[in-house]
Amino acid sequence: MKAFLLTAALISTIVVAQCQPAPIGQTQVTEWQYGKNGAVSITYDDGSYHQFTKALPIMERLKLPATFFVITGGFPGSKYHGTFVGRPVKTIIAESASIPTNSVNFLERCSAAGYLGYKGTITYVTKAASLYDEKETTAAYQLMDELYKKVRNGDFQPGYQPCDEVLQEEGSTWDDMRRYAAEGYEIASHSITHASMPGLDSANITYELEKSKEEIRNQMGEQYTFSTEVPYGYENERVMQIAYKIYPALRNRMPEPWLKEIDRPSKQTPGNSDKDYIQWQREANTRSPLPLMKSWVDTTTGRKDTWLVIVIHGVDGLGYEALPSTLLDEYFQYIKNDDDKLWVATFGDVTKYMRERESATVQNNEDNGKITVRLTHTLDNMYNLPLTLKTYLPKNWKATLVKQGKHIQQLTAMQDSKGSYVLYQAYPNEGVVTLSGN
Ligand SMILES: [Zn+2]
C-alpha cells in the first residue's frame, strides 16, 4: 500500500512538472530547421544528363532543393581524369604471366585494370571489387587472372573505355553546374571516374577522391567540397577511412554517436531509437512503387527524429534504374504538400544542422524585459548554417523583435503547453541575439 502511494505521488509530480510553464527566456535549438517534424534530402547519383534536363526543372518549379553527386572527370574542361597511380602497367601485365593474382598483388592489378590501354576492362574492375568487398577473394583473384590473360592474348580492342555512368553525363558542363549551384542546389563529388573503390589500393582511392575534390573546389568553390558519395554505395571500412580524411560528410556512412543509420538495402523502418536522429536512406527505383515512396514521406512527417534521404539514379530512360519524370513530378508535389511539416534541404545542409545542434551551447538571460541569447559551437567555419531557436517569452509580449547583428526578425508569439514562444533563426558564433517585446 505504501509503495502504491509513493508511485501515485511520483506520477502526480511528473504530471505537474509537464504542465509547469517554461521559465521566461528558456531557449532550445529545435530538432530541425524552422521547428519542422522531419527532414528530407533528395539526392541524385551519377549526374546523368536527364537529371538536369528532366528532373531539375520540376524541382525548380516547386522550389525544392537537392544534392547532385556528379562524376567530376565527365564534364568537358575537367583537369583531372582517370589514371593509374603506380608502377608501369607493362610491368604489371608481364608479371601476371608468371605470378597468379594473390592477396599481395590484387589491389595493384585491380587498380591498374581500367588503364591497361584496352577497352572493355572496366567491367572486370567493378565485378572484382564487389567480390573482394564481400570477402570472396578467390573469385576476385580468378577474375583478375582471367582479365590479365585476355590482355596478354590481345583479346581486347586498344583504347580506353570509361564507365557507362560517365558517358551518361554527356551534355552538361561546369557552367551548368555553377548555374544550378547559384539557385541553391548542392553539387557534390561522386569521384572522378565512378571508380569501384574496394578494389583499389590506397594511392588510387586517394587520387579519385582528393583530385575530384580539387576539381570541384576549382570549378565550384570550397563550399561544394563538403559532401561526397563513394560510388556504388560502398561502406567498405578501408575506403571509408580514407574518404573521411578527405570529405567531412559521406552519404555512404555517417558514424555519429547521436545518429542511427538505416542503409538503402535495409528493410528496417525508423522504429524505436535512443538516438537523437535517424538517417533513413531509401532508393527510389523501378522496384519502389509510388505509394511506397509516399509512405516514406508520411512516416517521416509523423515522427520528430527522422531524416529521409532519397536516392535517385536514372531519369527518363537514361541511367541506372531510370524513373519517369512524370512519376517524379507527382512524388515531388507530394513532398512539397507537406512543406509545413518537413524541412526539405540539401544533404550538406541537413548534416551541418545536426552537427551544429549537437555541439551547440545556448546561454540565455532575462533582465528587465529584455532577453539575450548566446549561441556558440566549436566546429570549424564551414559550419555556418543558422539554427532555429525556440525561446519562451513573457505572457504580455504580442510582437517580438529579434536582433543579431544585421539580422532582424519581427515575429508574432505562438503558444504551446509550456507558454508563449517565438521560433527564429540564429547564426552560431556571431554574437548575442536580443529579444525585445511590445
Ligand atoms: Zn553512382
Side-chain angles (χ1 to χ4, degrees), residues 144-159:
M144 275 303 112
D145 284 339
E146 187 189 319
L147 167 69
Y148 277 81
K149 191 178 175 191
K150 282 187 174 176
V151 167
R152 292 193 312 271
N153 290 347
D155 290 349
F156 294 104
Q157 293 279 322

Side-chain angles (χ1 to χ4, degrees), residues 45-47 69 71 165 190 194 229-233 251 313 320:
D45 286 17
D46 306 339
F69 292 102
I71 307 161
E165 285 84 351
H190 197 38
H194 206 262
E229 164 72 2
V230 169
Y232 306 99
R251 201 192 60 199
H313 285 88
Y320 170 73

